[in-house]
Amino acid sequence: MRAADIASDLTTVLVTEEQIHEKLGQLAAQVESDYEGKNLLLVGVLKGAVMVMADFARHLTRDVAMDWMAVSSYGSGTKSSGVVQIRKDLDTDLHGWHVLIVEDIIDSGLTLSWLLENFASRGAESIEVLALLRKPEAAKVEIDCRYLGFDIPNEFVVGYGLDYAERYRNLRDVAILAPHVYA
């Protein structure tokens, strides 16, 4: 689904699918250089990072391991609650791995901050973050994001894995959701 298909639900397209793929290709090249000769584990944060993780991994030309973790701090609302709930833990023991957390978006940073602390206690060789999107104005904690796609305004966005009440994840672009949809 493209933004034009649901134009009445959106106000502005911030990033197109084509821009996303170009950026993921650039980030993949950087990651390959930085992790040459290292055991790299991509950890996707469900559900939002599914699209980013899949497309990023396909841009890589090396073998990597992948695992998934499901945490939530949103529920069905449009603002982070700040309370992290683990819904699915990792299957992989992090000892001996260089972990790259793959995120769809860094909003308040609270969930990611919690994840970084949690993973640090599990014995990973290193832990870095790749995020497609970041909302600098929404940050409540500072996150060192080594690999960043795009900074976006502090608006409620959907698409490319990002949802509102489990809808719009399959939108190929990232766009601001019109307030009449969730008001």
Side-chain angles (χ1 to χ4, degrees):
M1 167 173 70
R2 295 303 299 252
D5 299 324
I6 57 165
S8 65
D9 288 359
L10 309 172
T11 62
T12 308
V13 174
L14 297 175
V15 188
T16 66
E17 178 183 31
E18 294 78 14
Q19 291 170 314
I20 291 168
H21 281 283
E22 181 179 342
K23 181 60 77 172
L24 289 177
Q26 293 167 0
L27 293 173
Q30 187 179 353
V31 165
E32 285 183 339
S33 173
D34 292 349
Y35 288 91
E36 187 174 343
K38 297 178 179 176
N39 289 330
L40 179 59
L41 174 68
L42 304 180
V43 174
V45 182
L46 294 170
K47 298 176 188 172
V50 168
M51 308 297 190
V52 178
M53 177 90 141
D55 287 342
F56 173 73
R58 284 192 289 257
H59 279 285
L60 294 171
T61 60
R62 61 165 286 178
D63 184 43
V64 294
M66 290 193 257
D67 202 347
W68 298 93
M69 187 164 190
V71 295
S72 178
S73 64
Y74 280 83
S76 63
T78 60
K79 298 242 188 271
S80 175
S81 69
V83 177
V84 178
Q85 299 173 333
I86 296 177
R87 300 191 181 226
K88 183 223 172 285
D89 206 348
L90 297 173
D91 297 322
T92 308
D93 178 350
L94 298 184
H95 285 89
W97 289 101
H98 293 271
V99 175
L100 181 58
I101 300 172
V102 178
E103 271 280 25
D104 51 352
I105 191 166
I106 301 173
D107 200 325
S108 70
L110 295 171
T111 301
L112 192 50
S113 175
W114 182 90
L115 273 177
L116 288 165
E117 287 180 29
N118 182 284
F119 287 6
S121 72
R122 297 186 191 200
E125 293 290 317
S126 68
I127 306 163
E128 296 291 348
V129 176
L130 180 148
L132 178 64
L133 306 167
R134 177 177 62 184
K135 294 181 182 178
E137 296 170 20
K140 293 185 178 174
V141 294
E142 188 171 328
I143 298 292
D144 181 20
C145 181
R146 186 165 182 180
Y147 307 100
L148 176 65
F150 305 93
D151 279 330
I152 62 170
N154 190 16
E155 300 284 346
F156 192 76
V157 296
V158 295
Y160 211 74
L162 295 156
D163 76 303
Y164 169 65
E166 296 302 324
R167 297 178 55 212
Y168 305 103
R169 288 190 195 277
N170 63 321
L171 175 62
R172 293 171 175 261
D173 312 293
V174 174
I176 297 172
L177 189 62
H180 74 81
V181 175
Y182 59 88

